[in-house]
Amino acid sequence: MAQVLNLLAPDQFDTTWLSKVSDVGDNKRLKLNNLRKVLTGTLDYLKDVVGMQLSQFPLPDINKVVECDNAHLGRLLQLILGVAINCSKQAEYIQAIMEMEEQVQRVVMMAIQEMHGMPTHSI
């Protein structure tokens, strides 16, 4: 996730930031620390760089992400998707989304709308 953020927004998630997120193997405490850095960096980017208000968005519990809880992992990935569609290469990523299967596009669009506090319709 950290490497993806570095690719999406290298000015914000630079090599110095990336070096603070290291490979930790199976150590849950260190994974938790890495995920905390990813979540904090992502939230800072979305709030400070993009100006996105996430007051209505249920933030992921990183303790549950470490436990492989799909719902919380999905929330974290949703936030990273928010970085992708708002970074300097957003046109490229949005074009890639538009080339996906229609059902996948629908799910991605719902994830984006949910982040922006728009009402979504169930799949």
Side-chain angles (χ1 to χ4, degrees):
M1 289 182 211
Q3 290 173 344
V4 169
L5 289 169
N6 174 254
L7 290 172
L8 294 173
D11 292 341
Q12 181 78 14
F13 302 100
D14 59 15
T15 54
T16 303
W17 179 85
L18 190 58
S19 70
K20 296 176 185 175
V21 181
S22 57
D23 185 11
V24 296
D26 291 333
N27 187 316
K28 283 189 178 184
R29 186 181 61 79
L30 294 177
K31 280 184 184 180
L32 188 65
N33 191 40
N34 280 348
L35 286 168
R36 186 175 294 113
K37 290 173 188 170
V38 167
L39 177 60
T40 301
T42 303
L43 290 173
D44 288 348
Y45 181 89
L46 292 173
K47 290 177 185 175
D48 299 340
V49 177
V50 177
M52 189 180 290
Q53 300 297 316
L54 295 166
S55 56
Q56 300 297 317
F57 185 77
L59 297 178
D61 179 338
I62 55 173
N63 291 301
K64 292 185 178 181
V65 174
V66 169
E67 300 295 327
C68 299
D69 180 292
N70 287 338
H72 289 273
L73 179 58
R75 292 279 180 215
L76 183 54
L77 293 174
Q78 246 179 306
L79 293 170
I80 294 171
L81 172 63
V83 173
I85 63 163
N86 288 289
C87 71
S88 62
K89 296 181 185 177
Q90 73 185 75
E92 180 182 329
Y93 297 122
I94 291 170
Q95 181 61 40
I97 292 168
M98 298 303 291
E99 293 172 4
M100 294 175 179
E101 293 179 22
E102 187 177 328
Q103 179 62 21
V104 175
Q105 285 182 41
R106 226 177 314 201
V107 171
V108 171
M109 183 56 66
M110 286 175 53
I112 293 167
Q113 289 173 342
E114 184 178 15
M115 249 187 315
H116 287 284
M118 298 174 170
T120 59
H121 305 286
S122 62
I123 303 170

